Amino acid sequence: MSKKVLVPIATGTEEMEAVTIIDMMVRAGYEVVVASAESDGGLTMKASRGVTLTADCRLVDIADDEFDAVILPGGVGGSEAFRDSTVLVEIVRQQMYEGKLVAAICAAPALVLAHHNLYPDALMTCHPSFESHIPAKNWRVKRVTYDVNHNLLTSQGPGTALEFAMEVIIRLSGKAHAWTVAEPMVTIPTLHYHEIGEA
């Protein structure tokens, strides 16, 4: 069964994370919706290092769609835009209520999830420079952290983006499918760097 994932982007989104996530989801055979979180509805924007990114649509256009995963790339500017997007925050909140996968990397766990107190009891990681934004009881230092009780996947930054994206595939389609994606790339799937809640 095909999976459908949402990847929002905005001015200041970290391009290495966004492109890695989008590319890996396509390689996994998923339907990937790249949606603009720009307040003016623009579809083309500059990422954190000046790379031009183009969205497929606006968030408001797909607000009522259902997704198997919502994946938030980081970057300070992009994460701040996500934080300030009432549409995106509501999409994430609905995803959380339905127990579906939410994944966030770099600044996004701190500036979006923690800021809105969406997962007050979940264990998570983020870019180390934003550790203070996450309550000490929730913080984990691992490169990729999955809280099985909340179906929440978080990661630390551009250097962990491949591991993070591979773990999304594992969560959505299992290890065997992840291996079919990993092998042609000459890499290996991550195997639960830090998983909470399973026996």
Side-chain angles (χ1 to χ4, degrees):
M1 182 177 177
S2 180
K3 305 293 184 181
K4 184 176 181 180
V5 301
L6 171 63
V7 183
I9 58 173
T11 298
T13 288
E14 214 300 324
E15 50 264 73
M16 185 183 297
E17 295 164 2
V19 172
T20 299
I21 292 163
I22 294 165
D23 177 85
M24 292 289 288
M25 298 307 106
V26 171
R27 289 174 186 263
Y30 302 156
E31 178 185 351
V32 183
V33 178
V34 181
S36 169
E38 293 289 277
S39 59
D40 65 0
L43 298 183
T44 300
M45 62 215 71
K46 291 289 186 182
S48 63
R49 300 313 188 267
V51 173
T52 299
L53 300 176
T54 303
D56 302 317
C57 60
R58 302 173 302 162
L59 277 170
V60 69
D61 298 327
I62 50 83
D64 294 328
D65 290 8
E66 293 191 6
F67 296 95
D68 296 284
V70 174
I71 312 171
L72 309 180
V76 175
S79 296
E80 289 174 341
F82 297 166
R83 176 197 67 198
D84 298 339
S85 170
T86 55
V87 175
L88 180 57
V89 172
E90 186 54 38
I91 288 171
V92 173
R93 185 175 281 117
Q94 187 62 36
Q95 192 83 355
M96 177 189 69
Y97 287 155
E98 293 177 3
K100 294 180 179 179
L101 181 64
V102 171
I105 186 171
C106 194
L111 297 185
V112 184
L113 305 183
H115 176 84
H116 289 285
N117 200 31
L118 293 173
Y119 291 89
D121 300 317
L123 299 175
M124 64 180 72
T125 193
C126 68
H127 194 282
S129 65
F130 289 94
E131 176 183 348
S132 63
H133 290 66
I134 294 176
K137 67 182 179 67
N138 301 84
W139 169 256
R140 291 298 179 270
V141 73
K142 302 295 184 180
R143 291 167 63 87
V144 179
T145 296
Y146 177 67
D147 188 325
V148 67
N149 294 323
H150 297 87
N151 204 11
L152 176 66
L153 180 67
T154 53
S155 190
Q156 293 193 320
T160 67
L162 184 60
E163 302 157 36
F164 170 70
M166 194 67 76
E167 194 72 14
V168 170
I169 298 170
I170 290 172
R171 293 295 150 195
L172 291 180
S173 302
K175 295 177 187 177
H177 184 64
W179 272 107
T180 68
V181 177
E183 188 174 12
M185 296 176 60
V186 198
T187 187
I188 60 171
T190 62
L191 296 175
H192 314 318
Y193 280 83
H194 195 207
E195 184 170 305
I196 307 299
E198 290 187 344

